[in-house]
Amino acid sequence: MRILVIDDETAIHDAYRKSFEARQSSLDQATLSAMADALFGNAESTETIAFPGEEFELVHAMQGLDGLKQVAESLAANNPFQIAFVDVRMPPGIDGKETAKRIREIDPNINLVIVTGYSDYTALDIASVAGPVDKLFYISKPFDPEELVHTARALGQRWFSDQEMARIRSELAEQVKTLERQSIELAANEARANHLATHDSLTGAANRYAFLKMLNEAIQRNEQEVSVAIVDLDRFKNINDSLGHFAGDELIRQVCQSMSRAVGSQGVVARLGGDEFALMLNDIPADQLEAFCEKVIASCSRDFSIFGHHVKVGASMGIAQQDDIKSEDPIDLMRFADIALYDAKRKGGGQVRFFDQSMDESIRFRQSIEEGLRHAIEQDELSLVYQPIIDRDNSTIVGFEALLRWDSPEHGPVSPAVFIPIAEETSLIQDIGDWVADNALKASAAWPKQYVSINFSPRQFHRSDFVTRLQQRVNAAGVDPRRVQIEITETAIFDDDQGAAETISSLRAMGFRIALDDFGTGYSSLFNIRNFPLDCIKVDKSFVESMGREAQSAAIVNAVSHLARSLGIGVVAEGVETEMQFQALRLSGCTHMQGYLFGEPMAKAATDLFLEQYEATHPLPARMAN
């Protein structure tokens, strides 16, 4: 324990030394606690805290200024005094009152003991400048050595106790600050999370969840006529593919801003996803609604500047009015608006269509088809037919394309052009696709010299386990992957070109053949196909049919054939029905043909018989027999 003694009499300093040297050994805890009780009043405020107070270190100063210097130096060295005994009367220099005042200014934590036999100041005078009173004490001269040491011990314990309490209070204050900061951060994160949960991250507009909530509240209030419009951009995919996804995102942002300005205070704009938006329009008179919506469509159909490119898109809109459909379910309003949008798209796009019940009839038919498909597999209503693929040079059959057929008890034979898109919009395509793959692989066992070509939808192709599932099915069927061709559309590739490239590379590494089906009807990016390891491109039959009538179709077929040949990719022409088409396609560079000229799609048994008869009349060249 460090003690500072400030007194102008040498004899007094000697008395201090003798008092503390004679009592260097520790007092027992009970005595110390009793002394603390006497000094501080309550035992609870002086609970035992361990402190280095058994040894007394006395530092002496003859005048107040010397004492002030000692106090300042001890603080600077991080070795403060616990107690200072200060004589009141110390001529010359500053007296004890001024000394105590300045010590307190230097070190607010030190315990001051005023030692005096006679003073010009009252205790109140000294306390007014050297307080607080709980750190200011008095001893009379001549002092009792026992009292002096007891006071020092008790004050020392009090000093260490105060320091510990100050440390605890500081830690608690820091913890409170931390909790307050965390509380602020939590509130900010909660607000941010709420915003993200209800807003589209790309445009900042309301998302589907928030839109449905606002729409439901508007319907329940029943304060005004509510209309819902679903808007979808026309030709957006072309821009997204030609300029890239970043440009597509920027276009979406600008379109949303333009649409929001057009709607203004008369509605709410939300982004549902992709290039699809929803509008909730409030209290617009029925005779003005169509004109208002056409104004919104026009706001989307202008030139946009995207990264230095001038881009123009159109938009289609479907509208459902609450009064017309008599429903208080926001899902119904959105569904009927979506039906009207589908009708607008089907009729060429760039227009506004209001929902009516006739549109719903077509939807009911789709629902009926969907329901029938759910039972088609278990009811054994599905079947496969196979159409031969012919080599241009030697007219041999190199493979068969598996084509799906459905004979519905309710609707009779349903065209794949009708039920396949419906299956693709649901999870049904997964089960149907697995059924097709299993049966096509099983059938191919009878054709050891030919491959079987199986169509896969974009939804199947983009499954994370597509490659694994296909490999398992091929292994289970005991078929060499080199005798299996995977047919995918341009949509499957260009919707996710990086993922598609990885999937195709994995399939090719296993030996599978890859064909790009219906080339020319989708994105038709001649530049991009060089980035994919394809075995062949299948030119859509619509180009083959119009080759004799349209120079443009012939030019497209020629361009595709020459590009494919330069990349080492085969070209299969679909829908070949006449000898004239066959010859024209041969000259254009198509390597393979498929169509009624060579064979119609046939059931498995008929296919086996056809192959046997065909090979008898068109023997495989000797160089290919092995």
Side-chain angles (χ1 to χ4, degrees), residues 237-245 490 493-498 500-501 504 516 519 523-534 537 563 567 569:
K237 288 185 179 295
N238 294 339
I239 294 168
N240 213 26
D241 293 329
S242 60
L243 298 181
H245 293 292
E490 296 174 68
I493 286 184
F494 298 129
D495 275 354
D496 178 13
D497 53 356
Q498 183 175 354
I504 291 173
L516 185 60
F519 191 81
Y523 305 120
S524 304
S525 177
L526 300 178
F527 175 79
N528 284 335
I529 63 172
R530 70 177 185 175
N531 298 321
F532 300 96
L534 304 173
I537 296 171
L563 173 65
L567 296 175
I569 299 174

Side-chain angles (χ1 to χ4, degrees), residues 343-404:
D343 190 66
K345 286 282 192 181
R346 188 168 58 87
K347 294 186 176 178
Q351 58 185 290
V352 176
R353 297 288 293 170
F354 285 78
F355 171 80
D356 62 50
Q357 292 300 324
S358 64
M359 297 177 186
D360 196 29
E361 291 303 319
S362 65
I363 298 301
R364 292 180 189 278
F365 173 74
R366 289 168 59 86
Q367 292 174 339
S368 174
I369 293 294
E370 180 181 335
E371 185 63 25
L373 279 174
R374 294 187 184 278
H375 306 287
I377 295 177
E378 60 188 54
Q379 299 296 333
D380 198 26
E381 298 169 7
L382 299 180
S383 61
L384 289 178
V385 293
Y386 303 90
Q387 188 171 36
I389 301 171
I390 308 298
D391 186 287
R392 175 198 67 180
D393 294 328
N394 51 46
S395 298
T396 57
I397 298 177
V398 296
F400 290 95
E401 180 180 1
L403 301 168
L404 181 61

Side-chain angles (χ1 to χ4, degrees), residues 198-247:
T198 56
H199 290 77
D200 172 55
S201 60
L202 178 63
T203 63
N207 61 13
R208 182 184 294 271
Y209 168 79
F211 183 80
L212 282 170
K213 183 179 179 181
M214 288 186 288
L215 180 57
N216 184 61
E217 291 172 350
I219 292 173
Q220 295 305 317
R221 286 195 303 268
N222 198 28
E223 296 175 352
Q224 50 201 358
E225 182 178 323
V226 177
S227 299
V228 171
I230 305 294
V231 180
D232 190 82
L233 301 185
D234 300 330
R235 302 180 301 279
F236 174 73
K237 288 185 179 295
N238 294 339
I239 294 168
N240 213 26
D241 293 329
S242 60
L243 298 181
H245 293 292
F246 289 113

Side-chain angles (χ1 to χ4, degrees), residues 140-152:
S140 299
K141 282 184 180 180
F143 49 74
D144 179 0
E146 195 75 19
E147 178 188 9
L148 184 71
V149 175
H150 286 188
T151 299

Side-chain angles (χ1 to χ4, degrees), residues 552-620:
Q552 185 180 23
S553 294
I556 290 174
V557 173
N558 284 327
V560 170
S561 298
H562 286 294
L563 173 65
R565 185 163 60 247
S566 67
L567 296 175
I569 299 174
V571 178
V572 179
E574 297 182 300
V576 183
E577 297 183 357
T578 67
E579 184 67 27
M580 183 178 297
Q581 289 173 342
F582 172 61
Q583 295 302 332
L585 291 166
R586 287 189 66 210
L587 292 174
S588 70
C590 292
T591 58
H592 297 82
M593 311 289 173
Q594 181 180 345
Y596 277 73
L597 180 63
F598 310 102
E600 64 182 25
M602 298 164 281
K604 172 62 169 59
T607 301
D608 293 343
L609 180 60
F610 174 84
L611 179 60
E612 180 181 348
Q613 294 174 346
Y614 192 92
E615 289 186 337
T617 57
H618 300 77
L620 194 67

